[in-house]
Amino acid sequence: MRRPELRALFFRRSVLLLWGFMLTILVAPFFAPHDIRSPEQVSTTQYQPPSPNHVMGTDNLDVDLFSKVLKGSQVSLIIASTATAITLAIGLAYGMICAIAGGWYDAVLMRITDISFSIPRFLILLAISSVVTEPLSVPQLILLIGMTGWFDVARITRGEVAGLLKRDWVLAVQATGVGHLRLAARHIFPHLVPILVVMATLGIGHTVVLEAGLMFLGAGGLNGSLGNLLQDGSGISSMTHWWMVFFPGLAIVLIVLACNALGDALRDVFAPEQVHAWPTT
Amino acid sequence: MPIGQLIRRNFHGERHDNGSIPLISVPRILSRLAQGLLVVFISASIAFLLMKSVKGDEFTHLLESTNTSATLIATLREESGHNAPLLTQYGSWLSRVVRGDLLPSSSHPGDSVASLIRSALPNTLLLMTLALVSSMAGGIALGAWQGVKAGTRFDRASNRITLSIISVPDFWVAMILILLFALHQTWFPTGYMSSNRSDLSTWEMLRDRLHHLVLPWFSLTLINAAAFARYQRAAMRDVASQHFLRTARAKGVPESIVIWNHALRVAVLPLVTIAGMFFPALLVGTILIEKVFSWPGMGSLLTKAVSSRDYALVCGIIIVGSAMAALGSLLADIGRELLDPRLRS
Amino acid sequence: MCSGCRQRCQSHPGSGADSLTLTSYACVCFGAIRIRRPRITAEAPTNIFPIRMSFKFNGVNMMIARRVAVGAASTFSRLMTESNRAFMARSVLATLILATACGSDKKGPTPRSGGAGVGGSVIIAEPLDFSTFYPPAVDNALDFAVVNSVFDRLADIGDSLNTIGDAGFVRQLAKEWKWAGDSLSIAFQLDPTARWHDGVPVRAADVQFTFRAYTDPKAKGANVDYLSNIDSVSVPDSLTAVVWFKRRMPQQFFQATYHMYIMPEHRLSKIPFDKLEADSITQAPIGSGRFRFAKRVPQQSVELVSDTGNYRGRAKLDRVTFAISSDASAAILSVFGGQADFYEKLRVEDLPTVARTPSLRAQAFSQSMYAYLSFNLRARTNNKAPNPLFADVNVRRALSMAIDRKSATRAVLDTFGAPAIGPSPRALIVNASDIKQIDYDPAHARALLDSAGWILPKGGDVRLKDGVPLSFQIAVTSTSQNRQTFAKSMEGQFRNIGVKATVRTMEMQVVREEVSTGNFDTYLGAFGVTPGLQGLSGAWGTRGIGGRNFGGYSSPAFDAKIDSALSAFKAPVANQLWVHAMQQIINDAPAIWLFEDINIAVINKRIQLPPMRADGWFAHLADWSIDPSQLSR
């Protein structure tokens, strides 16, 4: 890697540990100890506290919670990463178009973005989920979250690109007569990669929390994600069985911590000061 | 990035060239106000679209549960304007929003949406303002302290701690707090806003309310304070290298005054803007925490409205929520204008 | 008590809402901390310092507490050396926090004299907000609790829940009644001392108005079919109301009295019938019951106070408050945490926590209800066409055989419930053992499905017939955890025979809407059965289609059998006819009859209750009282 700071970063113990954990999550459900579907023969025990056989205890149908948490982490990560990818794609395109177009278009489009940014995203998502007749499936959820989160990305991208466009070498490239698309893709985009990476890592963390919150309120479907598990933990088991609440939340904390730690460290290296470390919606 | 340039960005994120004329405050505030109104308008429109997209309307249930005749329902629909063209309906919807007279709530047959929101809003505002004030105070204090002790072990350790804290979902913290302090140890109540007793004196009622406030307030404050602390720390780092601080030190000003009076004054400014942007996040956090604590505010109202498909109530709450978020950022902007002498004309 | 401390840290025992107790008490005084040693009260009737939950008095704990206290005291004295301002700020803050956490000197109204156990107040946790207080529109147990306490009937059913003739009925608004010779009418003499809560005397015109309101077509009509046998109410004089019937039936008296809560004509007649429901929630309902409606804070609470001077005697409690939580688990938590005193539906898995809590006890009471999984016999999109999945009775019987009801009931309810025997709790059917049930037999179920044309493809999990998979949704309300758990366990059992079921949990109103419009596949619901089984035709008869017969089951044979059972005057004949009716519907299997559960209520020990009636825990709310030794307010 080119920068010595990056190299030092990636050897930081904490970052390595956390990302090792994330990768484990992605493949772990295939090695989960128990089946997580409702049992075909009714079991006589429910809600067993954590024990050597069931590290995180069992739920109301005697399904192992550890396996459910692994599966749930996988689902949450898939939702979060896909939604973040959509967010970045839309925001990047929008921001670049705004900056390159410039002038009046730029002002209007940015004003639209600012206003959309001010509308509380969570409320809109809740409202939409109340309108649909069937509970939201995973692709629908991903699309919804992805399409409501790109405003901030667009704003930041536009700021960066606008700054870049004033540089001398860009003027030089433009003087060679290259078209807008090529300019954007070949020359400007590589400079945006660091900031996109930072937004991606932080964004995954934010989305996991957002999705967990949505599920917790019952706005999503039953897709087994960590938010669903938290909803079960606070609902059916009414918190008298602490492991139902504690472990899914712990999984969320670890995932988001990994994302935040990496994103924070990357931010320190590349210093994009406009990127917020905290979800604002 | 020097702090001087940081605050010369306008809300588009554009940089102003050094030496440009400082922005005039009043038109900026007016434009922010207009933007806020636009936000509310757009939320109302989204709400309208959502309501229209729902199959059936407030008369659907009549058809099934009672033996009301189909012609009677058709007449009712006609009277309430469902067959009018979409734009007319939109216009009448907007006029209802402005008047504050929204459709009756379907999950609460007797109450109108306006009265439900009116009874729930103060409770939410109480929680939100308390949390905002305390998290700002705590966060700024902690961040400033970190700035003072920049580079030491305390700074690094507390940085790691704040990073961990902002990674935690606030409603999970709330549930863990209930498990620990309301169930395992019954120091605090598990929910509600008060103990619903009418025979208490005013002083006892106040104390009862405070007692019920502690856990929800703490869960909201903890994470937001950590977030503010992180911003403040970054801001302090930027200020620390400024020339005017060097001058103050050279003059012989004691270090504590250098930090707490000079540096902090400047470093707080971006925080005020950020506080305005925090409002939506705080609103969301409050909604989730209200569900956990059965706090009778807008959050509980919204949760129950969403799950019982009470569209009129959902729309009303969306509009009020957007208005609150817009108001929050407007207030933050005004605060910035007041606090930063460079922005005054 | 700490010397110099302004607040006496004192709390009252076990009383739900005000038990702000700590396991050790600390009064912060300006300069020192001392830890108070709490006194043990197990059952001892003292007024001070109860022990909450799990603090055990052994040597280790006290040592730890003492160490904590010493550490806190030394820290505090160290703090004292800092600048004055900081110190004052810190101690004020600490006082505020700890004073809030400590108990407070409560001065409630002085306990009233007038009999043992009169006075006190109770807080009841409820998971839902109230929707209406208008008696004809009330159909969920929560609203009934309030309506039953604020309004009176002509005569209340006895504790034995007998519905034949008038044996056991208790006088309420009617002082006495006289049957006509041909039994086609009953003349009720009203109690002349009965008054509405606003002072106006109760008159027969109120009864007539009530009947009109209940049977008005614009009313919600939840109870209309119960009153179908009543022709009219006439008012020969101001204190006599005569109820006229269409025909003689064994349950006439029950029909005339049980379903109608008498409403004040002078107050409500000016408002059109369709506005009354909305009016009831905004205005305080005026009734004649032993409780009067005090106030309602939307989303938070409803308060009833005792009607002193009531013609039947005041309610023993001073005040009953219903506190509204976000959901059932929050309601249970509030009882465990001490914010409420009563919750009617505890889950079996919470019993150990109750056992660990000295101030709470659990009480089981039977509750005339049964849970069922009803098949939608009509197609979702078009309610004239039969449902492609469930139209075949063999398919329905096969699905019934796939569920091991005994084990599932045992797992979900432990010993607090039993498998259902049909659309009625077994207590109401004599000779229930004569009914031949559909037993658990997955092998037979698979064979039946195969012969019905639903074949399991190679390597697949879900049976197919003409390309249509045997897959459906189970709709459940979010308010009942037992039913949710049962539904999830049925998912697995159906998978066992190659049927894919998906549980869908929704809010009660949404479920009600979907189910009443026929927009469901299967619905796991529960019915509370009114005494006398009169509601059966409304639930499963042809008459109930469009009402509570969600699945659309229509069998003339079943209707006839119910009618004849209801009309039989002799008990043995009636019992036999009921058994026939049950057998008919079980053979037709329009639903799987799942379980009937015994309710477990969690109650604060200071509340003394009379035996709970199966038709509602709130039936004798006016006779609840507080243990006099623990009466503090």
Side-chain angles (χ1 to χ4, degrees), chain C residues 96 119 124 178 268 283 360 451 464:
Chain C
L96 253 167
I124 298 177
K178 213 159 67 133
L268 299 180
Q283 316 294 326
L360 297 177
S451 65
L464 294 174

Side-chain angles (χ1 to χ4, degrees), chain B residues 110 189-190 192 198 204 207 291, chain C residues 104-105 281 303 325-326 339:
Chain B
T190 56
Y192 302 134
S198 319
E204 284 165 353
R207 229 173 13 183
K291 174 173 191 275
Chain C
S104 55
D105 240 358
I281 199 98
E303 207 175 285
S325 318
S326 351
Q339 280 79 53

Side-chain angles (χ1 to χ4, degrees), chain B:
Chain B
M1 206 69 216
I3 199 95
Q5 287 192 357
L6 197 71
I7 55 175
R8 280 232 170 85
R9 287 173 198 273
N10 66 3
F11 48 77
H12 286 313
E14 279 173 312
R15 289 172 223 191
H16 273 283
D17 302 317
N18 284 343
S20 63
I21 306 164
L23 304 161
I24 308 171
S25 61
V26 168
R28 184 161 173 229
I29 291 191
L30 281 180
S31 85
R32 263 300 200 178
L33 187 66
Q35 188 165 334
L37 284 174
L38 198 57
V39 165
V40 177
F41 173 74
I42 292 184
S43 310
S45 314
I46 294 181
F48 174 74
L49 286 171
L50 282 178
M51 276 192 59
K52 279 294 134 198
S53 68
V54 171
K55 269 184 283 188
D57 45 38
E58 69 256 34
F59 301 112
T60 329
H61 74 273
L62 273 180
L63 193 57
E64 284 79 35
S65 52
T66 57
N67 299 324
T68 327
S69 72
T71 45
L72 180 60
I73 290 184
T75 323
L76 286 168
R77 283 207 173 113
E78 179 72 42
E79 275 173 19
S80 63
H82 278 260
N83 301 332
L86 205 61
L87 275 181
T88 322
Q89 290 189 46
Y90 185 50
S92 61
W93 164 252
L94 283 180
S95 71
R96 291 186 100 141
V97 169
V98 165
R99 264 182 298 148
D101 163 38
L102 293 168
L103 294 167
S105 152
S106 67
S107 62
H108 298 87
D111 302 307
S112 72
V113 168
S115 69
L116 283 171
I117 293 182
R118 216 180 309 137
S119 56
L121 190 58
N123 305 330
T124 303
L125 279 179
L126 173 69
L127 202 51
M128 272 179 72
T129 27
L130 277 179
L132 186 65
V133 164
S134 56
S135 55
M136 273 188 82
I140 291 176
L142 179 61
W145 203 353
Q146 281 182 301
V148 168
K149 298 264 179 19
T152 62
R153 243 179 46 183
F154 167 78
D155 179 33
R156 283 194 308 251
S158 54
N159 196 34
R160 265 186 233 127
I161 292 177
T162 48
L163 181 66
S164 315
I165 291 179
I166 65 170
S167 311
V168 179
D170 38 14
F171 57 98
W172 185 68
V173 167
M175 290 201 274
I176 299 290
L177 284 178
I178 291 184
L179 272 178
L180 284 177
F181 297 116
L183 284 180
H184 186 59
Q185 309 286 329
T186 47
W187 295 343
F188 295 105
T190 56
Y192 302 134
M193 205 167 109
S194 67
S195 51
N196 292 317
R197 290 179 47 208
S198 319
D199 56 342
L200 298 175
S201 69
T202 327
W203 173 234
E204 284 165 353
M205 222 158 39
L206 181 65
R207 229 173 13 183
D208 182 47
R209 289 281 172 108
L210 279 178
H211 191 237
H212 281 79
L213 255 178
V214 172
L215 282 186
W217 163 81
F218 188 71
S219 2
L220 266 180
T221 311
L222 184 69
I223 298 167
N224 287 321
F228 271 119
R230 294 180 68 79
Y231 276 112
Q232 185 64 15
R233 176 175 177 266
M236 289 296 281
R237 284 188 136 172
D238 293 334
V239 177
S241 55
Q242 288 282 291
H243 293 273
F244 70 94
L245 288 183
R246 243 189 334 172
T247 314
R249 286 197 190 101
K251 275 199 321 186
V253 176
E255 184 66 21
S256 59
I257 296 189
V258 170
I259 299 292
W260 293 97
N261 281 6
H262 297 300
L264 194 57
R265 269 240 186 104
V266 175
V268 153
L269 297 172
L271 264 291
V272 181
T273 319
I274 288 172
M277 289 195 281
F278 251 82
F279 235 74
L282 198 58
L283 187 62
V284 169
T286 314
I287 290 177
L288 291 165
I289 289 205
E290 280 184 12
K291 174 173 191 275
V292 174
F293 284 102
S294 302
W295 187 268
M298 300 258 290
S300 305
L301 206 57
L302 180 61
T303 317
K304 292 204 179 155
V306 163
S307 45
S308 46
R309 305 246 186 97
D310 186 355
Y311 304 112
L313 192 51
V314 169
C315 290
I317 295 183
I318 290 179
I319 294 171
V320 175
S322 322
M324 280 169 65
L327 191 65
S329 43
L330 180 67
L331 285 176
D333 240 27
I334 294 179
R336 259 301 281 283
E337 300 287 333
L338 289 175
L339 283 180
D340 188 0
R342 282 173 288 189
L343 290 181
R344 289 191 209 131
S345 54

Side-chain angles (χ1 to χ4, degrees), chain A:
Chain A
M1 302 174 203
R2 257 176 283 161
R3 297 212 201 180
E5 303 105 348
L6 267 181
R7 229 178 292 141
L9 165 72
F10 276 99
F11 290 117
R12 245 189 251 182
R13 267 176 308 166
S14 47
V15 177
L16 279 179
L17 266 175
L18 287 169
W19 277 90
F21 162 74
M22 295 259 282
L23 286 170
T24 320
I25 287 178
L26 280 171
V27 296
F30 302 115
F31 305 104
H34 297 267
D35 187 2
I36 59 167
R37 301 179 300 177
S38 10
E40 296 180 0
Q41 308 293 331
V42 180
S43 162
T44 44
T45 54
Q46 298 88 29
Y47 285 126
Q48 298 175 50
S51 62
N53 193 22
H54 295 280
V55 230
M56 290 186 180
T58 65
D59 72 352
N60 57 341
L61 288 174
D62 206 28
V63 174
D64 179 36
L65 189 64
F66 181 54
S67 319
K68 282 178 92 169
V69 166
L70 285 179
K71 181 77 183 14
S73 315
Q74 191 188 38
V75 174
S76 289
L77 270 178
I78 290 175
I79 295 177
S81 33
T82 322
T84 311
I86 296 178
T87 303
L88 284 179
I90 302 179
L92 179 69
Y94 195 91
M96 285 221 276
I97 291 174
C98 278
I100 294 180
W104 192 72
Y105 300 107
D106 178 23
V108 167
L109 285 174
M110 269 300 123
R111 213 35 102 99
I112 294 177
T113 315
D114 279 336
I115 291 173
S116 316
F117 181 62
S118 314
I119 301 177
R121 174 184 184 195
F122 196 79
L123 290 184
I124 302 293
L125 286 172
L126 269 186
I128 294 177
S129 70
S130 79
V131 166
V132 293
T133 40
E134 294 279 327
L136 291 171
S137 65
V138 170
Q140 286 173 324
L141 194 61
I142 292 177
L143 267 177
L144 267 181
I145 297 181
M147 293 205 293
T148 48
W150 54 266
F151 312 118
D152 203 19
V153 175
R155 190 172 62 84
I156 293 171
T157 316
R158 182 217 167 269
E160 281 297 306
V161 175
L164 277 175
L165 282 176
K166 297 203 184 91
R167 299 276 180 86
D168 294 332
W169 58 265
V170 173
L171 291 173
V173 167
Q174 279 179 320
T176 63
V178 57
H180 283 306
L181 197 57
R182 203 180 159 81
L183 173 74
R186 266 295 196 87
H187 301 277
I188 295 188
F189 179 72
H191 290 269
L192 293 175
V193 169
I195 207 175
L196 283 180
V197 169
V198 173
M199 287 198 281
T201 35
L202 293 177
I204 293 183
H206 300 171
T207 315
V208 169
V209 176
L210 175 75
E211 175 257 327
L214 273 178
M215 299 292 186
F216 180 70
L217 290 184
L222 271 182
N223 42 31
S225 72
L226 291 171
N228 267 146
L229 292 180
L230 272 180
Q231 186 192 21
D232 281 343
S234 78
I236 285 192
S237 72
S238 92
M239 292 202 261
T240 45
H241 309 284
W242 59 271
W243 55 95
M244 299 279 295
V245 171
F246 183 67
F247 289 113
L250 194 63
I252 294 181
V253 171
L254 288 175
I255 293 175
V256 179
L257 190 57
C259 295
N260 277 345
L262 183 61
D264 211 49
L266 283 174
R267 211 161 53 110
D268 285 339
V269 171
F270 297 122
E273 65 278 324
Q274 310 99 313
V275 180
H276 299 296
W278 181 239
T280 45
T281 30

Side-chain angles (χ1 to χ4, degrees), chain C residues 212-427:
Chain C
R212 287 219 188 102
Y214 265 86
T215 50
D216 184 83
K218 288 205 215 72
K220 274 305 183 57
N223 298 310
V224 167
D225 52 329
Y226 291 131
L227 300 172
S228 52
N229 191 30
I230 300 181
D231 183 57
S232 60
V233 174
S234 67
V235 180
D237 64 65
S238 69
L239 278 180
T240 314
V242 182
V243 177
W244 296 89
F245 299 92
K246 292 181 187 152
R247 61 184 176 109
R248 284 185 66 217
M249 290 186 76
Q251 305 180 343
Q252 274 172 277
F253 192 84
F254 170 74
Q255 288 167 346
T257 55
Y258 187 76
H259 301 288
M260 290 198 288
Y261 289 97
I262 309 297
M263 300 184 284
E265 189 240 357
H266 67 278
R267 204 182 150 262
L268 299 180
S269 58
K270 302 178 199 63
I271 307 173
F273 282 135
D274 53 350
K275 299 273 187 300
L276 275 175
E277 191 190 342
D279 169 80
S280 74
I281 199 98
T282 48
Q283 316 294 326
I286 305 277
S288 55
R290 291 165 71 186
F291 278 107
R292 67 171 69 205
F293 192 92
K295 77 167 183 225
R296 170 181 178 248
V297 182
Q299 264 199 302
Q300 286 191 50
S301 63
V302 165
E303 207 175 285
L304 306 177
V305 287
S306 170
D307 185 36
T308 45
N310 187 276
Y311 70 103
R312 282 194 294 136
R314 56 158 281 171
K316 288 199 183 146
L317 291 170
D318 282 334
R319 188 182 312 114
V320 170
T321 311
F322 293 87
I324 295 161
S325 318
S326 351
D327 52 21
S329 52
I332 294 182
L333 277 189
S334 66
V335 180
F336 287 150
Q339 280 79 53
D341 304 318
F342 178 89
Y343 182 63
E344 68 196 86
K345 197 137 176 80
L346 199 63
R347 278 102 26 104
V348 175
E349 62 250 20
D350 292 321
L351 282 174
T353 320
V354 176
R356 284 202 301 269
T357 316
S359 61
L360 297 177
R361 67 183 165 94
Q363 181 171 327
F365 61 102
S366 70
Q367 187 206 216
S368 218
M369 61 84 79
Y370 63 93
Y372 58 90
L373 180 77
S374 148
F375 300 112
N376 190 1
L377 298 174
R378 301 176 286 179
R380 267 179 99 142
T381 44
N382 166 19
N383 62 357
K384 304 279 188 293
N387 191 305
L389 295 176
F390 304 125
D392 187 350
V393 64
N394 286 324
V395 170
R396 302 199 298 265
R397 290 179 66 93
L399 291 174
S400 305
M401 285 177 208
I403 304 293
D404 184 1
R405 291 179 293 155
K406 229 193 305 193
S407 310
T409 313
R410 187 74 209 223
V412 174
L413 300 173
D414 202 26
T415 46
F416 294 92
I421 50 141
S424 158
R426 60 184 75 225

